Amino acid sequence: DTFGIGITAHGPNWQIQSNTLRSITTPDGQDGATANGIECYETGGGATGSNFNGLVISGNTITGRSSAYGIYVRDSTNGDPSRVMISDNYVSASLGVLVSVGADVVVKGNTVVATTGGGIWINAGTNPIIQGNTVSATTAQAIKSAVTGTVIDGNIISTSSAIEAINLTSASTNTVISSNKISGATSGIITNAAGTVITSNSI
C-alpha cells in the first residue's frame, strides 16, 4: 500500500512483474488515488539520464488510482526507449495506460478499467501494438493513438454511450484497426488519419 507512486522505473531492462499495488489515504490526508501506479521515467536514482530499453511490465494488479495513471511511460529527453512490453496487467485508474514516448511498444492482454479518463492512450513513439486487451471506459476514449503505424487488434472494448471506443488523430497515419469487439459507444471508430485500414471489427 502506498500514498505515492507504487514503482518508478529508470534504467534499461527492468522487469516489473506480478506485483499488487494498492493506494491508501494517510491520516494526514496524503491521497494515494492521485499517484501513478507504475511510472517509467529516465531520471532519478543511480540510473539518471539512462533510457529504459527492454522494459517489461507484466502481470501486475494496480488499483485505487482514481485520479492518476495506472501505468505511465513518460517523455524522455535522452532518446526514445525501445522494446517496451506492457502485458497481462489488471489496471483500475483514471487513465489506465498512457505511453508518451517509445519505439516498438506493445500493450497486450491487459484488463483496463478507466474510471474518469481514457483506457489505453499512445501519444508518441513509433509502431506501437495494442492487442488483445479488455478495456472499459466511461468518460474518455477507450483506445486512442496519435502515432503512425499503430496496430489496434483483437481488443474487447466497452464504453458509455457518450464517447468513442477508438479514436485516431490525424497524426496516426497508416494505422491498422482489426478484429476488435466494441459495445456501448456512440461512435465505434473515429479517424481522420491517412492510410487507415479498418477490417473485421464487430461494432
Side-chain angles (χ1 to χ4, degrees):
D1 292 335
T2 179
F3 60 85
I5 295 172
I7 296 173
T8 303
H10 34 230
N13 298 315
W14 279 54
Q15 297 186 40
I16 304 173
Q17 297 177 309
S18 303
N19 302 284
T20 298
L21 306 173
R22 294 178 294 262
S23 66
I24 59 171
T25 299
T26 64
D28 59 355
Q30 297 288 336
D31 187 1
T34 63
N36 301 324
I38 296 175
E39 183 175 295
C40 309
Y41 195 43
E42 65 174 12
T43 59
T48 299
S50 69
N51 59 38
F52 29 85
N53 292 342
L55 174 70
V56 175
I57 302 172
S58 178
N60 302 284
T61 298
I62 302 168
T63 58
R65 313 285 167 167
S66 59
S67 297
Y69 308 132
I71 298 171
Y72 184 17
V73 181
R74 291 183 57 176
D75 296 348
S76 169
T77 57
N78 288 315
D80 287 355
S82 64
R83 296 176 290 106
V84 176
M85 173 66 76
I86 301 170
S87 66
D88 302 309
N89 302 283
Y90 175 85
V91 181
S92 176
S94 174
L95 197 161
V97 178
L98 176 60
V99 177
S100 292
V101 66
D104 302 317
V105 176
V106 177
V107 183
K108 182 177 182 180
N110 303 282
T111 297
V112 175
V113 179
T115 55
T116 58
I120 298 170
W121 286 12
I122 310 291
N123 286 346
T126 56
N127 304 315
I129 298 173
I130 305 171
Q131 185 177 55
N133 303 281
T134 300
V135 184
S136 173
T138 56
T139 59
Q141 294 87 359
I143 295 177
K144 183 177 181 180
S145 177
V147 178
T148 187
T150 303
V151 173
I152 302 172
D153 174 70
N155 301 283
I156 300 172
I157 302 167
S158 61
T159 72
S160 67
S161 61
I163 61 173
E164 306 97 4
I166 297 174
N167 178 284
L168 305 180
T169 72
S170 59
S172 56
T173 58
N174 302 317
T175 290
V176 176
I177 304 172
S178 62
S179 302
N180 300 284
K181 296 181 179 180
I182 297 170
S183 63
T186 294
S187 300
I189 299 170
I190 297 291
T191 176
N192 59 356
T196 302
V197 175
I198 301 173
T199 180
S200 301
N201 300 280
S202 174
I203 303 173

